[in-house]
Amino acid sequence: MLLLKGKTAVVTGCLRGIGRAALETFAKNGADVFACCQREDERFAEYVLELSGNCGVSITPVYFDLLDEDAVKEGAKFIQKSKKSIDILVNVAGANFDALFHMVTMEQMKRTFAVNLFSQILFAQYITRLMLKGGGSGSVINISSISALDGNPGQLSYASSKAALIAATKTMSSELAPKDIRVNALAPGVIKTAMTDTLPEDIRSRMISKSELKRIGLPGEVAGAILYLELTAALDRRGGFRTCC
């Protein structure tokens, strides 16, 4: 059963990790996808061709650097020119510059917030306008982190930016819900990605110890939660049931 047949999604951070898992999950459930990545990658292009062929969907790579505000705007314009109605936005892409509190530089703070918060808001502004033009309904899912709630030594910049994203999500939700656009955030724990592979072992072990499963999570498990949030948002729009934001 194709749960997202006829829908079009925009997903950032598709080169690897959670973003790539979300791309694959959406494609396998029948959604066309604009797969946003920081840079062009030959292997990714080959992967997209194979995935789209196997799933019978359209997957369009969109390349832009989240640190470049003009590039983010151009990426949104590229999607707009397709004339497709956008149903789903998943903001996955993120950055992490680890350093202990007294060692964190203002440049690290600014870069982290630029990627994890400012660019997410800017891109969401453009994509949700497309949702409104396409019929006034949609779903936005922001990927935060458990660090935003618990905090971790050495992750001041990252945890702060992800906590700010949760606050932004709540405000976006309250403003966009009357326009039939649902906004939610996920706060995954330690997930097996290139980013968590760079964490010091003591920090990773401490985070895993807080998990009831006592193991590292997988990107596909987060992608399943993303799919769940989209499906519950769709049911809510049909009067099925409500979920909290």
Side-chain angles (χ1 to χ4, degrees):
M1 180 180 179
L2 299 178
L3 299 173
L4 299 177
K5 186 173 178 59
K7 291 183 177 291
T8 299
V10 178
V11 183
T12 70
C14 287
L15 271 181
R16 58 190 183 183
I18 295 172
R20 186 154 175 161
L23 163 62
E24 186 170 325
T25 296
F26 278 27
K28 287 182 177 179
N29 279 281
D32 293 334
V33 183
F34 286 97
C36 304
C37 307
Q38 181 184 22
R39 63 185 183 278
E40 294 190 41
D41 183 280
E42 185 176 341
R43 288 185 178 180
F44 179 74
E46 293 173 355
Y47 164 76
V48 162
L49 283 175
E50 181 179 1
L51 181 63
S52 61
N54 290 340
C55 297
V57 299
S58 170
I59 302 176
T60 306
V62 186
Y63 300 105
F64 57 87
D65 187 341
L66 289 172
L67 283 171
D68 186 337
E69 185 175 321
D70 290 334
V72 174
K73 292 179 181 178
E74 288 304 312
K77 288 180 180 178
F78 177 84
I79 296 171
Q80 180 182 19
K81 289 177 181 177
S82 72
K83 304 297 183 181
K84 283 194 172 185
S85 178
I86 306 300
D87 304 288
I88 310 161
L89 168 63
V90 186
N91 282 314
V92 181
N96 187 19
F97 301 97
D98 286 340
L100 292 172
F101 169 63
H102 285 108
M103 302 300 292
V104 173
T105 67
M106 289 302 100
E107 180 59 27
Q108 288 173 327
M109 290 286 291
K110 290 174 183 177
R111 287 173 65 87
T112 305
F113 270 77
V115 174
N116 294 353
L117 180 66
F118 304 148
S119 67
Q120 316 284 330
I121 292 174
L122 177 63
F123 194 55
Q125 285 176 330
Y126 283 105
I127 301 304
T128 53
R129 287 189 185 112
L130 296 182
M131 290 178 179
L132 292 171
K133 289 180 181 179
S137 66
S139 174
V140 178
I141 300 165
N142 296 321
I143 304 302
S144 180
S145 169
I146 196 65
S147 297
L149 305 175
D150 293 347
N152 285 300
Q155 289 196 307
L156 176 70
S157 300
Y158 182 74
S160 299
S161 66
K162 290 297 189 177
L165 183 60
I166 290 177
T169 298
K170 292 178 179 180
T171 299
M172 292 165 63
S173 176
S174 64
E175 292 186 11
L176 295 176
K179 300 177 181 179
D180 207 17
I181 295 177
R182 298 294 307 277
V183 187
N184 287 279
L186 279 175
V190 190
I191 306 300
K192 179 65 177 175
T193 66
M195 183 181 293
T196 57
D197 285 344
T198 65
L199 286 174
E201 185 57 37
D202 60 328
I203 292 178
R204 183 165 50 225
S205 297
R206 185 184 301 113
M207 294 174 70
I208 292 174
S209 70
K210 295 179 182 179
S211 167
E212 294 298 329
L213 295 178
K214 306 303 179 187
R215 67 166 175 82
I216 197 166
L218 301 176
E221 293 172 320
V222 183
I226 293 170
L227 176 62
Y228 167 80
L229 281 177
E230 163 52 27
L231 294 175
T232 55
L235 283 170
D236 178 62
R237 287 193 290 271
R238 294 196 298 267
F241 57 84
R242 300 193 64 82
T243 58
C244 63
C245 298

